[in-house]
Amino acid sequence: MDKKKIIFNCGWELFHSKGFKDTNISDIAKMAGIAVGTFYNYYSSKEQLFFEIYIKENEKLKKHIFESLDMNQDPITIVRQIVEQNISTVNSNKILKEWYNRDLFRELEHYYEEVRGNDDSIRGLYTGLIKKWRAEGKIRNDIDDDLLTAFFDSLTYIDSHKEEIGIRHFPQLIQYLAEFIMKGLTDSQK
């Protein structure tokens, strides 16, 4: 196995068990059996490594969700299932959950801009479904694709703030919001 893959795997293990903040480059290098300087031959920072790991986790999540969906269901049911699976997985996966840490997101935001069009993310899953539903006449055409995907992204952000909103309202709040969004988007009168 090449060194970059070893560093990646060790980073994944440490980020998954300790989180981003409590993992440092020397921990990763020690676990990988390399010098700290060697780490920098492959990654410019801990943030870059974390972001690559995050992207891979997001790709796995999208694949898992996509394979579990019955595309013959109505858009409301499909979106509700995607949102539920996404939130459940994010809450159980420390790497995916870190994305919703505001301080960390600010550090990683410039990496995100580089791969924003990546169709292997959950956002890419929504984008593909929106295009499909538009072609089939199942969803409104008067709202920009980026805004549409932001509606769905916001549901995961809301879930990450359930303590401030009132935990007693969850998961029903997310389920209703997903339904309300989709009913608004599939309303043929718009």
Side-chain angles (χ1 to χ4, degrees):
M1 188 179 311
D2 69 31
K3 285 183 186 172
K4 185 171 185 173
K5 184 71 174 162
I6 292 168
I7 294 167
F8 182 94
N9 290 341
C10 292
W12 182 92
E13 190 172 323
L14 289 166
F15 290 136
H16 191 71
S17 64
K18 295 171 63 172
F20 177 82
K21 184 179 178 183
D22 293 331
T23 299
N24 59 51
I25 291 172
S26 62
D27 293 336
I28 297 167
K30 183 177 180 180
M31 180 180 260
I34 60 169
V36 171
T38 305
F39 174 92
Y40 291 104
N41 291 334
Y42 299 93
Y43 294 97
S44 63
S45 65
K46 175 175 90 166
E47 290 79 8
Q48 182 191 18
L49 172 60
F50 180 84
F51 187 74
E52 283 189 25
I53 291 169
Y54 168 79
I55 291 296
K56 287 293 181 200
E57 288 295 293
N58 203 312
E59 289 170 3
K60 286 193 293 190
L61 172 59
K62 177 189 171 188
K63 184 176 188 245
H64 170 75
I65 290 174
F66 186 78
E67 289 172 352
S68 72
L69 293 176
D70 175 358
M71 293 304 204
N72 295 318
Q73 297 180 89
D74 64 283
I76 294 170
T77 302
I78 291 173
V79 167
R80 187 180 295 140
Q81 289 175 354
I82 292 170
V83 169
E84 287 173 4
Q85 287 185 48
N86 186 32
I87 289 172
S88 173
T89 304
V90 164
N91 286 329
S92 65
N93 182 313
K94 216 171 205 173
I95 293 167
L96 292 173
K97 191 170 185 104
E98 289 278 21
W99 187 254
Y100 299 95
N101 172 332
R102 287 183 204 162
D103 295 331
L104 178 57
F105 181 79
R106 285 185 193 109
E107 292 179 45
L108 299 175
E109 198 168 17
H110 71 278
Y111 294 109
Y112 177 67
E113 292 303 319
E114 294 172 15
V115 296
R116 190 173 179 93
N118 179 0
D119 283 338
D120 289 330
S121 67
I122 291 299
R123 183 173 260 256
L125 177 58
Y126 286 126
T127 301
L129 287 170
I130 289 165
K131 286 179 182 172
K132 175 184 180 297
W133 292 331
R134 277 198 173 148
E136 295 170 353
K138 292 181 179 179
I139 198 163
R140 291 171 56 169
N141 286 314
D142 62 329
I143 301 174
D144 176 80
D145 286 357
D146 201 40
L147 179 57
L148 289 174
T149 54
F151 287 140
F152 304 124
D153 289 345
S154 68
L155 295 173
T156 306
Y157 284 103
I158 289 169
D159 186 74
S160 68
H161 294 278
K162 61 184 157 203
E163 288 78 19
E164 294 108 309
I165 296 169
I167 200 159
R168 69 189 176 282
H169 301 298
F170 287 81
Q172 297 88 355
L173 177 70
I174 297 296
Q175 293 166 349
Y176 280 120
L177 285 173
E179 179 182 333
F180 297 159
I181 289 168
M182 287 308 298
K183 282 185 177 178
L185 295 176
T186 57
D187 184 353
S188 61
Q189 302 302 314
K190 301 289 179 193

